[in-house]
Amino acid sequence: MPHPSWLITLLTDFGDRDSFVASMKGVVLTINPQATFVDLSHHVPPHSVEAAAYLLNSCYRDFPKGTVHVAVVDPGVGSARRALIAKSERYFFLAPDNGLLTYILAGNPEMEVREIENKDYRLPSAGHTFDGRDLFAPAAAWLTKQQSFESFGRLVTDCKTFTIAMPTWECKALLGEIVHVDRFGNLISNLTQQHLEEVRAVTKHQQLSIRIGKQAIAGLVASYSEGAEGQPYALINSDGKLEIFVKEASAEDLLKAGRGARIEVS
Amino acid sequence: MPHPSWLITLLTDFGDRDSFVASMKGVVLTINPQATFVDLSHHVPPHSVEAAAYLLNSCYRDFPKGTVHVAVVDPGVGSARRALIAKSERYFFLAPDNGLLTYILAGNPEMEVREIENKDYRLPSAGHTFDGRDLFAPAAAWLTKQQSFESFGRLVTDCKTFTIAMPTWECKALLGEIVHVDRFGNLISNLTQQHLEEVRAVTKHQQLSIRIGKQAIAGLVASYSEGAEGQPYALINSDGKLEIFVKEASAEDLLKAGRGARIEVS
Amino acid sequence: MPHPSWLITLLTDFGDRDSFVASMKGVVLTINPQATFVDLSHHVPPHSVEAAAYLLNSCYRDFPKGTVHVAVVDPGVGSARRALIAKSERYFFLAPDNGLLTYILAGNPEMEVREIENKDYRLPSAGHTFDGRDLFAPAAAWLTKQQSFESFGRLVTDCKTFTIAMPTWECKALLGEIVHVDRFGNLISNLTQQHLEEVRAVTKHQQLSIRIGKQAIAGLVASYSEGAEGQPYALINSDGKLEIFVKEASAEDLLKAGRGARIEVS
């Protein structure tokens, strides 16, 4: 069982030109002045629950045990959608019940999830547009003040999730998809080193052919510096994922491919 | 009387590609290593004192008592414009004397304001372009080190302010204006729930008609999720303000309306 | 000899839409939960080592003694390029060996530099694309945990550096260049107050003529507020550098000049 630490991470689509994120932090610090924050990102595309789910999954394990991860991408704010608090072996998660925890739930099947119902952990508010400040921030703060996990609300066993794109076989080719485009224009797929080994085993070839749509990737290398300029290459990135890049340039721009694009390994 | 805490918030138009904000934090930490920071926003449009004043007012109350709010949008840096330090019942504020504290002064008429004159609280500097680092940061840091409020400089009773846009009546219609556009393209007005009640009392109709310029708003709802897609709706947001939105889209883009646009309720 | 503090600054080209920076912070906090961070900037143009070198140099002195400055703009990640840890009289620096420390090395010739070789300070990783998380973050964290400087690896005496643009004389004119454009579109040169005095001594004129390319600057003033609108002026900024600005507008836009543009004082 983790013990909640004073460390809270924040992931939102609130951007940086308003004071939404600051308001959340102010509310937390009013309840627990010892809380500290790490911003995961506040530049999730507006309302993009799937992009937020990807980002949260890509980094939550890098944090110390007991970290409280708060994710608020919440187009349904103010509706009947539930607010969730969840507890894995090492972490806590707070998020709306809209699929944002999809990967976390898949990776932590033992996770206990509750609805945040306790009115004592909620700020009074004139309207229903800012649960980040009025519900999630105070709930996270009270959690770090050692309120019991059970006190937040009833157990939830039917969290909303979306379907995680899984690689599929077509003849001897493995089809995956681009699940994230990073700031450098690198295309990150849902294929791993393990998948490449499987393709090698099936095709009995060491040399793999990789395609994004109809475009062939020039080769599979070990680091960004090995690619020749102006051409797309693949590598296994530091998260173990197959990633397409162009040396010191943007694969997204060169290949005109983005999130959801199909990638084929044969 | 608040006691200054170690918590400093920062609001600037410095953006994120330079190291201006970092320099301010480094200066503070050199004087008081225990200081902590919350960034309100650094993406105020360059030189936009009114936008900064709005943002500061929208979130300063969310912070714990004793918080030191530092706001530096300062086109007059290096001129004879004064630097101010102010003390309300719960907070401290540091800002140039250019209208940035307009809403704070209006909301805290009892506030004591002084000029930051004490040279001991200033860094030596080759030029006069960066009072954020050379004047406001060290002054805030020394305040958190329990220097007396009086030691900063003389009392100021004639702070520069701009005129706050107030709703006006025209026949039985109440005219307000858009005072902020948030990251989602939501249009936030200077009208409140209270104003809507006044219109209902005057018109003796429960059903209100809301217009932005010549464009009619489809209806007044309780949350973002209630609007039909592609049409503008109004709601009372979590700050109690009348706000125009388009479900999972941008009202700013759809209505081609922004800050200063006229809103009419009848 | 500085003692490393718990304060770590981060300078990267990672942007804000991914969770790269958060991952670095999570790794540090897992090793040293008492570490604190200041973000210098994460908006260095992708792969621009020279821009990062400039930013680091412009603000590292604003931090308390013992601060650990971590800079990761690293197009050669995963290649044979070395990772460096350096110690000046007051600070520590961690960066790839690609020129990022050029100004720091020039300004601190006594600096001791070592290669980060010790595998105990490295996270295991599936690939070679994210040394920010897998190498620099844990190395910085272990440094703040009082690991000896010598334990990181062997001495390095041949760091990679780029040539720093130095002003040159052409007849009685001093030629410099724009080394940075800030968020406001101000053009910052490599000329100083001292250089202007030299030109005055050589030309025996107090009145200086300043040009960017073929465009004359309207005058040399003391602060931004002194310029007339719509015309470019020069001043000595708070870092002692000659800077071209347009009052409440962008000199970059008006003059169509940027980094590398030639500036002439006569």
Side-chain angles (χ1 to χ4, degrees):
Chain A
M1 277 296 130
H3 205 66
S5 75
W6 293 335
L7 176 59
I8 295 173
T9 76
L10 297 173
L11 171 67
T12 75
D13 59 352
F14 293 164
D16 49 25
R17 71 186 218 198
D18 300 289
S19 53
F20 300 140
V21 175
S23 284
M24 288 181 68
K25 292 178 180 175
V27 165
V28 167
L29 290 168
T30 302
I31 295 168
N32 183 359
Q34 294 173 291
T36 58
F37 304 98
V38 169
D39 297 300
L40 289 204
S41 173
H42 300 295
H43 293 267
V44 172
H47 319 303
S48 181
V49 171
E50 295 197 18
Y54 175 87
L55 277 183
L56 180 59
N57 190 48
S58 73
C59 71
Y60 77 94
R61 297 171 199 82
D62 293 326
F63 286 84
K65 189 168 178 173
T67 298
V68 177
H69 294 292
V70 178
V72 186
V73 174
D74 194 11
V77 60
S79 72
R81 73 94 188 86
R82 297 174 294 194
L84 303 179
I85 185 167
K87 179 174 65 169
S88 76
E89 205 192 328
R90 288 179 60 82
Y91 304 110
F92 294 89
F93 300 90
L94 287 82
D97 183 21
N98 61 9
L100 218 161
L101 298 182
T102 297
Y103 293 106
I104 307 296
L105 289 159
N108 300 274
E110 86 297 351
M111 200 156 69
E112 185 178 327
V113 185
R114 290 181 178 271
E115 185 175 351
I116 305 174
E117 297 177 294
N118 192 331
K119 293 278 183 288
D120 294 345
Y121 303 154
R122 205 185 217 294
L123 296 194
S125 172
H128 309 283
T129 60
F130 195 4
D131 276 359
R133 179 191 67 190
D134 300 331
L135 186 156
F136 291 107
W142 284 115
L143 181 66
T144 66
K145 295 271 281 185
Q146 314 300 340
Q147 301 303 305
S148 81
F149 190 71
E150 291 67 30
S151 72
F152 283 83
R154 80 191 77 174
L155 279 173
V156 174
T157 52
D158 59 343
C159 296
K160 198 170 161 190
T161 55
F162 55 78
T163 305
I164 297 174
M166 299 296 284
T168 55
W169 286 94
E170 199 173 286
C171 301
K172 290 186 176 179
L174 189 60
L175 302 181
E177 76 176 57
I178 299 304
V179 290
H180 182 66
V181 182
D182 75 16
R183 115 77 145 204
F184 299 98
N186 298 319
L187 308 172
I188 295 122
S189 76
N190 61 349
L191 302 179
T192 64
Q193 177 70 44
Q194 177 66 21
H195 287 122
L196 300 193
E197 294 309 328
E198 287 171 28
V199 178
R200 285 191 180 105
V202 165
T203 59
K204 289 168 188 148
H205 269 77
Q206 269 308 104
Q207 191 72 23
L208 298 174
S209 156
I210 303 173
R211 293 179 164 278
I212 294 265
K214 302 201 165 172
Q215 301 168 94
I217 302 305
L220 180 65
V221 295
S223 80
Y224 296 134
S225 58
E226 290 177 41
E229 281 180 26
Q231 290 193 64
Y233 285 82
L235 51 63
I236 297 296
N237 73 16
S238 287
D239 293 322
K241 297 295 191 328
L242 186 70
E243 176 178 322
I244 308 302
F245 74 98
V246 179
K247 189 178 184 176
E248 294 187 35
S250 164
E252 180 184 29
D253 290 350
L254 183 75
L255 298 175
K256 311 273 181 253
R259 205 156 167 276
R262 181 171 142 150
I263 181 165
E264 181 185 322
V265 183
S266 60
Chain B
M1 276 300 127
H3 205 65
S5 76
W6 293 335
L7 177 59
I8 295 173
T9 76
L10 297 173
L11 171 67
T12 75
D13 59 351
F14 293 165
D16 49 25
R17 69 186 218 197
D18 300 288
S19 53
F20 300 141
V21 176
S23 284
M24 289 182 67
K25 293 178 180 175
V27 166
V28 168
L29 291 168
T30 302
I31 295 168
N32 183 358
Q34 294 172 292
T36 58
F37 304 97
V38 169
D39 297 300
L40 289 204
S41 173
H42 300 294
H43 293 266
V44 172
H47 318 304
S48 181
V49 171
E50 295 198 19
Y54 175 86
L55 277 183
L56 180 60
N57 190 48
S58 74
C59 72
Y60 78 93
R61 298 172 198 80
D62 293 326
F63 286 83
K65 189 168 180 174
T67 297
V68 177
H69 294 292
V70 179
V72 187
V73 174
D74 194 12
V77 61
S79 71
R81 74 93 188 86
R82 296 174 296 194
L84 303 179
I85 185 166
K87 179 174 65 169
S88 76
E89 205 192 328
R90 289 180 58 83
Y91 304 110
F92 295 90
F93 300 90
L94 287 84
D97 183 22
N98 61 9
L100 217 161
L101 298 183
T102 297
Y103 294 106
I104 308 295
L105 288 159
N108 301 274
E110 86 299 349
M111 199 157 67
E112 186 178 326
V113 185
R114 291 182 176 269
E115 185 176 350
I116 306 173
E117 296 177 294
N118 192 330
K119 293 280 183 286
D120 294 346
Y121 303 154
R122 204 185 218 294
L123 295 193
S125 171
H128 310 282
T129 60
F130 195 5
D131 276 359
R133 179 192 66 189
D134 299 332
L135 186 156
F136 290 106
W142 285 115
L143 181 66
T144 66
K145 295 270 281 185
Q146 314 301 341
Q147 300 303 306
S148 81
F149 189 71
E150 291 68 30
S151 72
F152 283 83
R154 80 190 78 174
L155 279 173
V156 174
T157 52
D158 58 342
C159 296
K160 199 171 159 189
T161 54
F162 54 79
T163 305
I164 297 174
M166 300 295 285
T168 55
W169 287 94
E170 199 173 286
C171 301
K172 291 186 175 177
L174 189 60
L175 302 181
E177 75 176 58
I178 299 304
V179 291
H180 182 66
V181 181
D182 76 15
R183 116 75 145 207
F184 299 98
N186 298 320
L187 308 172
I188 295 122
S189 76
N190 60 350
L191 302 179
T192 63
Q193 177 70 44
Q194 176 68 21
H195 287 124
L196 300 193
E197 295 308 328
E198 288 170 29
V199 179
R200 284 191 181 106
V202 165
T203 59
K204 290 169 187 147
H205 269 79
Q206 271 308 105
Q207 190 71 23
L208 299 174
S209 157
I210 303 173
R211 291 179 165 277
I212 295 265
K214 303 200 164 174
Q215 301 168 94
I217 302 304
L220 180 65
V221 296
S223 79
Y224 296 133
S225 57
E226 290 177 41
E229 280 179 27
Q231 290 193 65
Y233 285 82
L235 51 63
I236 297 296
N237 73 15
S238 287
D239 294 321
K241 298 294 189 330
L242 186 70
E243 175 179 322
I244 309 301
F245 74 98
V246 179
K247 189 178 183 176
E248 294 188 35
S250 164
E252 179 184 31
D253 290 351
L254 183 75
L255 299 174
K256 312 273 181 254
R259 206 158 165 274
R262 182 170 141 150
I263 182 166
E264 181 185 323
V265 183
S266 59
Chain C
M1 277 298 129
H3 205 66
S5 76
W6 293 334
L7 176 59
I8 295 173
T9 76
L10 297 174
L11 172 66
T12 76
D13 60 351
F14 293 165
D16 49 23
R17 70 185 218 200
D18 300 289
S19 53
F20 299 140
V21 175
S23 284
M24 289 182 67
K25 293 178 179 174
V27 165
V28 167
L29 291 168
T30 302
I31 295 168
N32 183 0
Q34 293 172 292
T36 58
F37 304 98
V38 169
D39 297 299
L40 290 203
S41 174
H42 300 295
H43 293 267
V44 172
H47 318 304
S48 180
V49 171
E50 295 198 18
Y54 175 87
L55 277 184
L56 180 59
N57 190 49
S58 74
C59 73
Y60 78 94
R61 297 172 200 81
D62 293 326
F63 286 84
K65 190 168 178 172
T67 297
V68 177
H69 294 293
V70 179
V72 186
V73 174
D74 194 11
V77 60
S79 71
R81 74 94 188 85
R82 296 174 296 194
L84 303 178
I85 184 166
K87 179 174 65 170
S88 76
E89 206 191 328
R90 289 180 59 82
Y91 303 110
F92 294 89
F93 300 90
L94 288 82
D97 183 21
N98 61 9
L100 218 161
L101 298 182
T102 296
Y103 293 105
I104 308 296
L105 288 159
N108 301 274
E110 85 298 349
M111 201 157 67
E112 186 179 327
V113 186
R114 291 182 177 271
E115 186 176 349
I116 306 173
E117 296 177 294
N118 192 330
K119 294 279 184 286
D120 294 346
Y121 303 154
R122 205 185 217 294
L123 296 193
S125 171
H128 309 282
T129 60
F130 195 4
D131 275 0
R133 180 191 66 189
D134 300 332
L135 187 156
F136 291 106
W142 285 115
L143 180 66
T144 66
K145 295 270 281 187
Q146 313 302 341
Q147 301 302 307
S148 81
F149 190 71
E150 292 66 32
S151 73
F152 283 83
R154 79 190 78 173
L155 278 173
V156 174
T157 53
D158 58 343
C159 297
K160 198 171 161 189
T161 54
F162 55 79
T163 305
I164 297 174
M166 299 295 285
T168 55
W169 287 93
E170 200 173 285
C171 301
K172 291 186 176 178
L174 189 60
L175 302 181
E177 75 176 59
I178 300 305
V179 291
H180 182 66
V181 181
D182 76 14
R183 116 79 144 201
F184 299 99
N186 299 319
L187 308 172
I188 294 122
S189 77
N190 60 349
L191 302 178
T192 64
Q193 177 71 43
Q194 177 66 22
H195 287 123
L196 300 192
E197 294 309 328
E198 287 171 29
V199 178
R200 285 191 181 106
V202 165
T203 59
K204 290 168 187 147
H205 269 77
Q206 270 307 106
Q207 190 71 24
L208 299 174
S209 157
I210 303 173
R211 291 178 165 278
I212 294 265
K214 304 199 164 174
Q215 300 169 95
I217 302 305
L220 181 64
V221 295
S223 79
Y224 295 134
S225 57
E226 290 178 41
E229 280 179 27
Q231 291 192 65
Y233 285 83
L235 51 64
I236 298 295
N237 72 16
S238 287
D239 294 321
K241 297 295 189 331
L242 186 70
E243 175 178 322
I244 309 302
F245 74 98
V246 178
K247 189 178 182 175
E248 295 188 33
S250 164
E252 180 184 30
D253 290 351
L254 184 74
L255 299 174
K256 311 273 181 254
R259 206 158 166 273
R262 182 170 141 150
I263 180 166
E264 181 186 321
V265 182
S266 59

